[in-house]
Structure formats: C-alpha cells, structure tokens
Amino acid sequence: MTMTAEQPTPATAPEAPSTTGVLDRVLKVRELAIAVVLVVMLTATQLDNSAFLSQQGIKDLLLNATILVLVAVGQAVVVITRNVDLSVGSVLGISAFAAGDLLHGGGNPVLAVVVAVAVGAAFGVVNGLLVSLGQVPALVVTLGTLYIIRGLDSIWIGSRQITAADLPSGFTSFGHDGIGVVPYLALLTAVVLVAAAYYLRSYRSGRDMYALGSSPEAARLAGVPVRKRILAAYVTCGALAGLAGALYLARFGNVDSGTGNGYELTVVSAVVVGGVAFTGGSGSLYGAALGALLLTSINSVLPSIGVSSVWVQAIDGVLLLLAIAVDRVVALRVAGLLRKRAAQTRSAHHG
C-alpha cells in the first residue's frame, strides 16, 4: 500500500457537505448494529452446535474472514472516492499464481509476497489511470480489466495448477499457524486495517478521499488533486488485492486459473453492508471489515445449522440490496431534514 510521507495533522478534515457528516454518524450506528447482529448470530449458532466456537472453530472463522477483509479494505478506499473496482477477484487470482509460480521455482517466500503486491499494484495503476486521466466511468473500466486480467490469467496458467506440495512448508505453515486461536494471517490483516484506517483519518491526503467522494467538484475547487487521489486509491486497492492473493496461496495452498472468479460481488457486498456509502464520502474501513466478517460468518454458520451453502450468494445479494436501499433512504431523510433546518434558519434571520 503506497503512502506519502506526511505527518499527522491535528487540523480537522476538509469541510464536506453537512449531509455527509450526519449520514456518517448514522452509518457508524449501523456498524454497531452489524457487530451486535454478528455476536447474536454466533451465540445462537454456538447454542445450537456446541462445537462451532471451539478453538479450531474460532481459528477457522478468522482464517476464512482474513482474505475478504483485506480485499474489502482496499475496495472501501476506492468506494469512499465514489468509484468501484470490479477487477479485485481477477487481480487476487493472478497475483496468487505469480507468487506460487515463483515459489514453485524455489523462490524466497518474502520475495513472492512482494511480487504479488507489485502485480496487484501494477493493475491498480492501470485502473487508476484509465479512471482518473481517461475520465472513463469506473464501472466500465474495471469490468473491462476484470475480463482482460482473467483472459491473461487463463493464457498464462492454462491447465497448470499450484498445489501445497509445490510450496515451501514454512509458507503453508504460516497460512495455518498462529498465536493461540488468532492466526498469523489475521494479525497481519489487522495491522493493515488499523494502519489504513489511521491514514485515512489522520493525514490530509487520506481525508481528501472523503472530500472527493462527498463532492468531486467541491474537492477540485478546494485544491484537492483529484486525479492523484483516485490513482492512489486504485493502487492501494490493487496492492491489497495482490497481498490477499499471496495470503490466499498460503491459506489454501492451491491456485489455478479459476481462483478469484466471482469474488467481486462478495467484496462489494461486504463494503456496502459494512456501512461504506456506495455514493462515496462516508463510512469507515472498520465497517467494511465488519461487513466482511459478517458475510464470512454467514458462510460458516449456514452449513453448521444444516442449511445448504448454495444460499450464501443469494443472501449476499439480498444484504447488498438492503444496504443500498437503507443508504438511499437515510441520505434522502437527512437531506430533507437539513433543508428544513436551513429554511427555518433563513426564516428566523428574515424575521
């Protein structure tokens, strides 16, 4: 993840429309609600199946959430700027194979992770340049690069497959081991999450992302380097998808040309369900992480209570639609409330 060498400033973030401020507080309440739902759901499942939250069960739950949380953090940065990246699944897949190919040839595990991050960042640069400089809608750009990357992936990989037997034992052990019930992968993801969230809230270039998402035109007039910030958001998203690819390889030890297919819907769902407004400028990375944890928990809970896992994608889609609908309703109500308050203020001044 690329960060500029800025010092944290105590000054407040660039002013955004007051609607966004109120909406942001409402979405924070939703983050708390998600956490409550998550706790209730896990508790109820544990009561139904006493083995669900065993030591291994908790570890598996955290491992399953790790990859999605990492990609959701990067996606949230892009969505906050009022854009989207639909290519993250393809980037994850090709980055995972790049790392596996290097390790299969006897490469160093640390170098393999660096290569995966670099591959992801490179595709982030392509997406960012097309959206920021080319002025092409993000949905169109990233849908196009999704298929391009997937095509390149298929041509390069073909019918080949990387398995755990091709990887260093220390690398795959890192993907499963941890401290007590907390896997190393979860600790690494937590560090990335905290660092990224702190950066967005404490550095001016990070707060610019929110200002840009709230009102691109106002941000431009305020002197925010819009193209530079959009490019930085996509590079961050690509780099984190690349890192997720390396961790996916360590976690599952198996990569082929189909790795990451269809992942984009789950990632976008996690971000929006977690309270990051799809219209940009509001929400937090912690909310996106909670959304990812909720979706992966649902994926684990359903089989444990005897429900077919084929319902998972349907539930993800329903949650995504509900989250977007809630955001829209809340935004309209808040905007109406603020207009009424403004009218009352003008009336008082005239009186």
Side-chain angles (χ1 to χ4, degrees):
M1 182 169 54
T2 306
M3 294 186 182
T4 53
E6 299 178 28
Q7 293 299 317
T9 56
T12 56
E15 286 190 18
S18 53
T19 306
T20 303
V22 178
L23 179 59
D24 197 41
R25 289 194 291 273
V26 172
L27 293 178
K28 285 184 185 300
V29 173
R30 195 166 88 193
E31 290 174 14
L32 178 61
I34 291 171
V36 171
V37 169
L38 185 60
V39 170
V40 170
M41 182 178 67
L42 294 179
T43 302
T45 307
Q46 173 65 14
L47 292 175
D48 183 68
N49 180 0
S50 59
F52 180 69
L53 290 181
S54 63
Q55 183 170 342
Q56 188 59 45
I58 295 173
K59 193 172 183 179
D60 288 341
L61 193 63
L62 292 175
L63 280 172
N64 291 338
T66 294
I67 310 300
L68 183 57
V69 168
L70 200 56
V71 184
V73 168
Q75 184 74 258
V77 174
V78 172
V79 173
I80 284 170
T81 66
R82 200 179 285 197
N83 290 289
V84 69
D85 187 351
L86 297 180
S87 68
V88 287
S90 299
V91 171
L92 183 152
I94 199 169
S95 300
F97 194 85
D101 199 42
L102 181 65
L103 290 173
H104 182 48
N108 182 281
V110 175
L111 180 60
V113 174
V114 171
V115 166
V117 172
V119 169
F123 286 116
V125 169
V126 173
N127 285 331
L129 288 177
L130 288 173
V131 173
S132 62
L133 296 180
Q135 300 292 300
V136 183
L139 191 66
V140 176
V141 167
T142 58
L143 186 60
T145 52
L146 180 156
Y147 288 112
I148 291 171
I149 297 168
R150 190 170 295 167
L152 293 173
D153 201 16
S154 298
I155 292 170
W156 178 32
I157 298 173
S159 59
R160 290 188 294 161
Q161 186 178 37
I162 300 291
T163 64
D166 302 318
L167 304 173
S169 58
F171 185 74
T172 53
S173 294
F174 179 77
H176 295 89
D177 295 342
I179 301 173
V181 298
V182 183
Y184 292 130
L185 297 189
L187 290 173
L188 178 58
T189 299
V191 170
V192 172
L193 170 62
V194 171
Y198 178 77
Y199 178 75
L200 281 187
R201 289 296 186 180
S202 302
Y203 288 78
R204 171 152 190 180
S205 55
R207 296 194 303 272
D208 283 350
M209 305 284 191
Y210 284 96
L212 174 58
S214 298
S215 175
E217 197 56 43
R220 189 176 289 108
L221 293 173
V224 173
V226 173
R227 292 177 177 176
K228 187 176 178 181
R229 297 295 181 252
I230 291 175
L231 178 60
Y234 274 101
V235 171
T236 299
C237 185
L240 289 181
L243 177 59
L247 299 191
Y248 181 98
L249 179 67
R251 165 76 173 100
F252 297 103
N254 191 300
V255 179
D256 56 27
S257 59
T259 299
N261 284 358
Y263 208 62
E264 45 283 334
L265 171 63
T266 307
V267 173
V268 171
S269 298
V271 169
V272 178
V273 167
V276 179
F278 206 64
T279 51
S282 187
S284 75
L285 301 190
Y286 294 116
L290 272 175
L293 188 56
L294 177 64
L295 294 189
T296 50
S297 297
I298 290 173
N299 195 14
S300 299
V301 164
L302 291 182
S304 71
I305 60 176
V307 179
S308 173
S309 60
V310 299
W311 286 95
V312 172
Q313 283 192 326
I315 291 173
D316 288 355
V318 170
L319 288 175
L320 175 60
L321 291 176
L322 284 175
I324 291 174
V326 168
D327 286 349
R328 183 61 179 161
V329 169
V330 170
L332 289 174
R333 285 178 177 264
V334 169
L337 178 63
L338 291 174
R339 281 196 299 270
K340 183 178 179 180
R341 187 180 300 170
Q344 290 174 343
T345 302
R346 285 195 299 270
S347 171
H349 284 315
H350 287 312

